[in-house]
Amino acid sequence: MLPAVRSVPPGGAGESESGTAWTGEKRRKTTNRPSPLGSSDDDADMDIQHHPPEDDSGLRVYSANDEISDEELDLCLSKVKSRETPIYLPFTTRIYDEERDKLYERFCELRMNDYLKIVKPEDIYVPEGSKYPPEIHMWDDDQYCIFDWTFNNEFYDLAELGDYQRICPTRKAENEYYNWEEYQLTLSSYETDEDYVKYCDELSKRIKWVEEHRHLDNREFSKIKHRGFKQAMKIASEFSHLPYSLAVRGYEEHIWYMRPEMILKDLDKLCFEIWKRVFKQKQMDFRQALEDILATNMFPSLSPLIKAEIEGSFCILSMQFEICKEHIPENVELDDLLGKINYVVFESLKPKTYVSYVTKKLEIGRRLQLPSRFPKAVNEQYMDP
C-alpha cells in the first residue's frame, strides 16, 4: 500500500532510461574524499554498512535490495502524473493597462523595501519627477545586480502567474547554475517548490546506496539508475504538490551531481595536459596547448569541445582552466597536480542545480511575503493572436 499523500515544508539542502532491473548487489569499499587543496589528514577506507530501514524522521531508507514492482511503480507514476504541472513558456494571455500598471508598481515597492536595506539613505539618488532611484527599474538579470531577485520582462505580466511565480533569483556569475535558462522558465507555485526542496533532500538520504556505485561505467550504472529511479518515484508519490516533470528532474540532477566526472569524462586530465604545456614546459599559451592536444587526438570524446573553444564559440574550457589557476599554485608538484585539478573540476566548483535555485527563490518569496496566487484580471479582448 502506498503511503498517505502529504505536503511538507522545506527541509534542507527525463524519465530514467529503460533497462532491466538489477537483481544483484555490489558492495564496495569507498573512501571519503577529502579536499587535496588543504587537507592534511586522509580519511581511512570505510566498509559500506547496510542502511537502517528508517532514517531519524521515521522515513524508509532504501537499499540496493529493495525492488519496486512494475505494478507499484505504475500506481506511483499515476499519482505523480495527476498533479498540476508547472507553467512553462510561451503563453498567450497577458494583463494590460491599469492592471499591468498596478502589478509593476507593486514590484517596484517590493524592490524599494529591499533597496533601503542595502543602501544608505544619504547615498540614494532619485531623479526629479521620479518616485524611485534608477536601480529600481533595472530588471534585466545581471550578475552584478545589487538585488538577489528580479523578474523577466518577457513574462512577468502573464495572467496565469501568481506573484511568487513572476520573480526569479539573480545570478552571481554566468556559470553559477547548471541549466539557468530552463530554471528561469519553470514557473511553479510556492507549494510545489516547497515539496521539491524536501523531495530532493529525501533523495539524498533515502536512496544513498546509489552513490556507492557512482564510479561504474555508464552501461553498468544504468541498471543502478533504473532501480533508483523507481525508488525515487515512490518517494515522489508521498508529496501532494510535486508533479512528474519535477520529480524526474530532481532525480536526474541528483544523479548528475554525484557523477560529473562521468558526464565530462577526462576533463580533469585535459586541464592537466594544458597545465603541463603552459606552466611546466612554458612553451605554449592556452590556445596553443589546446591546438597541440587536439592534433594528437589525446581526448577523442572532448574533441568537439576543444574545437569549439579554439573557434571561440564556447568558453567552458578556458573558464574551467582559469578556476584551476585561482585555486592551484603554479609551482605545484606534478605528482600532486592531477589530484588537485580533479578536485577543483569535479568537487569544489560544481554548478548549482534546480534545488539550489528553488531554495533561494523560496527564501526570497518568504522575505517579500508574496501571495501564492495573483487574481486573474484578464478580458477576452486581450487575448494575443
Side-chain angles (χ1 to χ4, degrees):
M1 180 178 293
L2 293 176
V5 173
R6 57 193 172 90
S7 178
V8 295
E15 182 166 337
S16 177
E17 68 264 28
S18 60
T20 57
W22 186 55
T23 57
E25 180 183 5
K26 290 189 177 182
R27 292 286 178 186
R28 295 191 170 197
K29 287 187 176 182
T30 64
T31 303
N32 288 342
R33 190 176 193 178
S35 166
L37 305 181
S39 175
S40 58
D41 295 321
D42 291 337
D43 293 330
D45 284 358
M46 299 176 63
D47 290 329
I48 297 298
Q49 302 295 325
H50 288 284
H51 294 295
E54 295 181 347
D55 65 9
D56 293 339
S57 63
L59 298 172
R60 179 180 179 183
V61 174
Y62 293 95
S63 73
N65 291 325
D66 291 318
E67 175 65 37
I68 306 296
S69 68
D70 290 342
E71 293 76 12
E72 188 173 8
L73 177 63
D74 287 342
L75 287 174
C76 294
L77 291 178
S78 176
K79 185 175 294 186
V80 176
K81 289 181 178 181
S82 70
R83 296 168 189 156
E84 182 179 359
T85 60
I87 296 175
Y88 297 95
L89 295 180
F91 293 108
T92 58
T93 309
R94 296 181 181 271
I95 56 175
Y96 291 93
D97 302 331
E98 184 178 353
E99 290 299 325
R100 190 178 190 276
D101 292 341
K102 290 180 180 178
L103 175 64
Y104 185 81
E105 177 64 21
R106 183 160 70 250
F107 277 112
C108 284
E109 290 177 358
L110 290 171
R111 291 267 275 199
M112 189 64 192
N113 289 337
D114 269 0
Y115 192 71
L116 293 172
K117 298 173 184 176
I118 55 181
V119 178
K120 296 178 180 179
E122 60 268 25
D123 294 334
I124 296 177
Y125 166 71
V126 180
E128 185 176 351
S130 178
K131 186 176 179 181
Y132 301 108
E135 294 89 338
I136 299 300
H137 304 286
M138 297 177 183
W139 292 101
D140 291 341
D141 169 57
D142 186 344
Q143 60 180 326
Y144 302 110
C145 180
I146 63 172
F147 298 99
D148 62 353
W149 66 277
T150 185
F151 61 64
N152 191 310
N153 281 312
E154 295 181 5
F155 62 77
Y156 91 97
D157 57 354
L158 294 172
E160 291 89 346
L161 302 182
D163 278 6
Y164 173 79
Q165 293 168 294
R166 300 177 197 279
I167 67 168
C168 57
T170 55
R171 294 177 291 180
K172 296 179 181 178
E174 186 176 353
N175 63 337
E176 181 179 3
Y177 290 95
Y178 173 56
N179 198 341
W180 174 253
E181 298 297 334
E182 184 175 332
Y183 299 165
Q184 275 194 302
L185 302 183
T186 307
L187 309 176
S188 51
S189 68
Y190 185 89
E191 294 83 3
T192 294
D193 283 352
E194 282 187 318
D195 274 7
Y196 184 83
V197 171
K198 182 62 177 179
Y199 164 71
C200 290
D201 183 55
E202 292 196 9
L203 286 183
S204 67
K205 297 175 181 177
R206 298 174 62 187
I207 57 172
K208 196 172 181 61
W209 69 270
V210 175
E211 189 172 353
E212 298 167 12
H213 308 278
R214 54 180 285 187
H215 297 299
L216 294 176
D217 63 39
N218 287 333
R219 183 172 181 177
E220 284 297 312
F221 187 77
S222 67
K223 303 172 185 177
I224 306 295
K225 184 180 176 184
H226 183 63
R227 176 163 294 201
F229 173 79
K230 294 196 287 185
Q231 294 173 355
M233 292 304 103
K234 179 70 177 291
I235 294 171
S237 70
E238 301 170 11
F239 297 87
S240 58
H241 297 289
L242 183 67
Y244 175 73
S245 60
L246 292 186
V248 172
R249 176 185 292 180
Y251 181 67
E252 291 293 333
E253 292 196 340
H254 175 72
I255 295 297
W256 174 85
Y257 204 73
M258 74 170 68
R259 282 168 53 89
E261 64 269 32
M262 300 303 293
I263 295 172
L264 285 176
K265 189 177 181 181
D266 294 331
L267 180 58
D268 57 338
K269 297 181 180 65
L270 173 59
C271 289
F272 175 75
E273 292 297 329
I274 297 171
W275 189 287
K276 285 198 303 183
R277 288 160 173 76
V278 173
F279 293 123
K280 295 299 181 182
Q281 300 169 5
K282 299 186 183 296
Q283 297 175 344
M284 306 176 184
D285 61 19
F286 176 79
R287 180 186 176 90
Q288 291 170 333
L290 281 182
E291 291 172 343
D292 183 62
I293 292 168
L294 182 64
T296 63
N297 197 30
M298 190 177 297
F299 303 105
S301 64
L302 293 176
S303 292
L305 202 60
I306 298 173
K307 290 179 182 178
E309 184 81 38
I310 293 173
E311 294 168 358
S313 59
F314 205 53
C315 60
I316 187 173
L317 296 180
S318 56
M319 289 172 56
Q320 193 65 65
F321 192 66
E322 287 299 316
I323 292 171
C324 288
K325 286 164 58 179
E326 290 177 11
H327 291 78
I328 302 172
E330 289 185 19
N331 61 351
V332 63
E333 293 294 331
L334 198 60
D335 291 343
D336 299 329
L337 179 58
L338 182 58
K340 293 181 182 296
I341 289 178
N342 178 277
Y343 181 81
V344 170
V345 170
F346 294 129
E347 292 296 326
S348 67
L349 296 168
K350 294 177 183 177
K352 297 175 182 176
T353 54
Y354 188 61
V355 66
S356 296
Y357 177 91
V358 167
T359 299
K360 183 176 179 180
K361 187 173 180 179
L362 285 168
E363 292 171 353
I364 295 167
R366 288 191 287 268
R367 188 182 76 228
L368 300 180
Q369 299 180 324
L370 296 177
S372 60
R373 292 293 295 175
F374 171 68
K376 296 179 181 179
V378 180
N379 190 297
E380 288 295 327
Q381 62 179 313
Y382 295 136
M383 294 292 289
D384 291 342

